[in-house]
Amino acid sequence: MPAQDTGNVLVDPDSAAISDLLVREGKVKPEEREKARMAFVTSGVPETMWLLQQGIVKIDDLVMAKAKFYNVGYVKLTEKAISPVALGYVDKGMAERFGLVPFEYNPIGRELSLAMANPVDLSAIEFLEKKHGVKIKVFAANPAEVRAAIATRYEQSLSGEVTAALKEAGGQGEVEVKTINIRKVGEMIREAPIAKIVATMLDFAAKSRASDVHIEPLADRTRIRYRIDGILHEKLILPRKIHDSLVSRIKILADMKIDEKRLPQDGRFNFQTDTDEVDLRVSTLPTVHGEKVVMRLLKKSGGVPTLPELGLRGRALKNLEEAILRPHGIILVCGPTGSGKTTTLYAVLSKINNIKVNIITLEDPVEYEIAGINQVQINPLAGLTFASGLRSFLRQDPNVIMVGEVRDRETEELAIQAALTGHLVFSSLHTNSASGAIPRLLDMGGEPYLLASTITAIVAQRVCRRVCGVCRQAYTPEPKVTADLKQGLDKLWPYTEGSDAGVKLYKGVGCSECGNTGYRGRIGIFEVLPVSEKMGRLILERAAATGYLKVVEGITTMEEILRVAQE
C-alpha cells in the first residue's frame, strides 16, 4: 500500500522500520518507540503517526528518516528556490494528484528534480519520465510544505514567460558567452515575456512583504532572493540566458544606462500593485558573472508607525517622549545596519510634526515622504554632504533638524553647535549599544563637556521577527531557559513566586500565511538611555529586559532575541 498524507502526517507501510531508524539516530527513545508499538497493536495507529501526534518526533525529522530509509534525497521547500522551467513540466492538477512539486531542471542529462510527499510513488515517477522523456530525481519533502508550494508557486508561475524568453535567447541548452547587438537590446527587453517576469517578481515581493529583491547572476543560473522580515529567502531560479534581458528591462524602468555594465548605477521607479503603490530604489553592481541588481521596496501607502507600534513601551517610551519634548539637545538612535534606526527617527518626527514647528531633514536617501517636513537628499557629487547640508540648514530658521547619520568629526561638531544654539537635533550612529555611543563620538574628536551638555538621550535598538499569529503554539520551556528569563527580568518577571511551573512561551509551527517560517512581521526591542550620572548603572540594569519581556508575552521567541542580540 503506498504512503498517504493525512494532514501533516505520513501513513507508511514501513512505519515500524522507520521508527527503528529514528531510535538508532537518537530522535526517539527506545521506551517511546515501545509505546508507539503498543499503540499500533491496540488501536491500529501506525507508529510514526503516533510519535508525531504525541510530539515526540518532528515532521522534518520523520521526513529525513524516510529519505534515508528509501535512499532518496531530502529537501525543505521553504528554503528552496523553485525554477519556473521545472514547474512547467508538471501542471497544477497533476502536482495536486501526485503530491509533488518540480523544483529544479538540469538541461545537461535532462534531469528533473521532484519534491514528493510520497517519495516511493513509482507510478507517478514512471508516468512523468515517459511523458516528458526526462530522468526523475526524487526528494522526500514535508507534505504540508508540498501542499503550500503547490498553492502558492503555481499562482506565481513564470514557466510560460520563461519558456518564451528562452526561445528568444536560443533555447534551454547550456550557457554560452555571446555578443549582444546593443541596437537590438531595446526591442528584446520590451517583449511580453521579460516584462511579465519582472512584473511577477515585483508583485510577489509586495505580497510577501519583502523589503529588498536581489537578482544575482551565478555561473549557470540567475538566483532571485527576497529579504522578508530581515532574512534573505531564495525563492526563484531563472535560466542564466535571460539574465541580461532581465537586467536591461529593469534598467529602462529605472531610467539607467543599459549599455553601461562596467560601473555601478542607481535609479528608481514606481510600481503599482492591486492595493499599494511601491517606490523602488534600484542599484546595479558589476560582478564576475554579470550585473547584480538589488531593488529596495518602499510602500508609499503604509504610513509611518507610532512609537508604541514600533515596540517602545514602559519606561523606555516615557524617557524618549520626555527627551523629544525638550526644545534643544541631541537625540541619537544607535544600532547596526538594518536595525530600524531610520524608521524610529521618522516615527519621532511624525510625533512632533505640526504647523508651529519647522522640521528639516538631511537623508541618504529619503525613504519615506512625510507631509509638512522639509526633506533633503544628500548629493556628494554636487557637493551636498551631511556636513555642508547641516551648515546650510542653520540659515533656514529650523526648530528641529534630523541628520541621517553622524559619519565624521565635522558633522558631529555641527550637530553639537546646532544643539548649543537652541535646536533639537536627531541623528543615527552605527554602534551596537547605547553605552558605545559616547566613546564613538569621543573617538571622532568630540569634546566630553560639549557632549555631556548637549546629548539628552541615546536609543539603542534591534528588530526581531514576530511569532506568526496564525500558527502560534504554546510550549513549556526548559528549566534553564526559564531561569535565564527570570534572572534577566528580575523585578519585571510577570509570574508570582511558586508559579514558575506554569510558564508558557510561544513559537510558530509554520503555515501558508508566514511562508512556513513561523514568523510574520517584526517588532523592535529598545534601550533608551537618558544621559545622566546614572548612565552606567542604568545600562547594566536595563540592557536585556525589553527583549525578554517580548519573549514571555509571546510576541517573539528566545531564539530570535539571541539572534539579533549577537549583531
Side-chain angles (χ1 to χ4, degrees), residues 1 20 63 141 149 158 175 216 296 339 349 386 428 442 463 499:
M1 182 179 76
D20 284 337
V63 175
L158 294 170
V175 177
E216 301 167 305
R296 168 152 290 188
S339 60
L349 292 179
F386 282 127
S428 69
L442 290 171
V463 284
S499 66

Side-chain angles (χ1 to χ4, degrees), residues 465-484:
R465 295 176 291 172
R466 287 178 178 266
V467 173
C468 175
V470 177
C471 62
R472 190 179 82 152
Q473 290 185 0
Y475 72 98
T476 301
E478 296 288 332
K480 185 181 185 305
V481 175
T482 301
D484 288 344

Side-chain angles (χ1 to χ4, degrees), residues 78 144-145 147-149 151-152 155-156 204 206-210 228-229 233 235 466-472 508-521:
T78 56
E145 293 181 7
R147 288 195 303 273
T152 58
E155 288 182 4
Q156 302 144 3
F204 177 77
K207 288 179 179 177
S208 60
R209 302 170 293 104
I228 302 171
D229 293 334
H233 299 269
K235 293 291 187 180
R466 287 178 178 266
V467 173
C468 175
V470 177
C471 62
R472 190 179 82 152
V509 296
C511 65
S512 58
E513 290 295 317
C514 61
N516 286 296
T517 62
Y519 298 96
R520 181 176 173 82

Side-chain angles (χ1 to χ4, degrees), residues 525-556:
I525 53 175
F526 295 87
E527 171 194 1
V528 179
L529 187 66
V531 175
S532 69
E533 60 184 7
K534 299 179 181 179
M535 182 185 301
R537 182 172 64 83
L538 287 172
I539 292 171
L540 294 174
E541 291 178 358
R542 308 287 302 180
T546 58
Y548 283 166
L549 273 175
K550 287 179 172 62
V551 172
V552 173
E553 292 170 351
I555 296 173
T556 188

Side-chain angles (χ1 to χ4, degrees), residues 43-105:
S43 64
V45 177
E47 296 178 26
T48 50
M49 178 180 283
W50 186 88
L51 291 168
L52 281 169
Q53 290 174 343
Q54 301 302 310
I56 295 171
V57 67
K58 296 179 181 178
I59 181 66
D60 285 343
D61 290 334
L62 175 57
V63 175
M64 283 189 277
K66 283 177 65 69
K68 188 171 184 178
F69 181 80
Y70 291 125
N71 195 28
V72 298
Y74 166 77
V75 64
K76 187 161 183 62
L77 282 174
T78 56
E79 300 173 357
K80 189 69 179 176
I82 293 181
S83 164
V85 174
L87 212 60
Y89 277 91
V90 183
D91 61 43
K92 186 177 182 180
M94 190 179 300
E96 290 174 333
R97 184 165 72 252
F98 291 133
L100 56 85
V101 174
F103 62 89
E104 192 171 276
Y105 177 73

Side-chain angles (χ1 to χ4, degrees), residues 245-257:
S245 299
L246 195 66
V247 172
S248 295
R249 169 67 181 172
I250 294 169
K251 280 184 171 182
I252 281 189
L253 291 172
D255 197 23
M256 298 157 72
K257 296 178 181 178

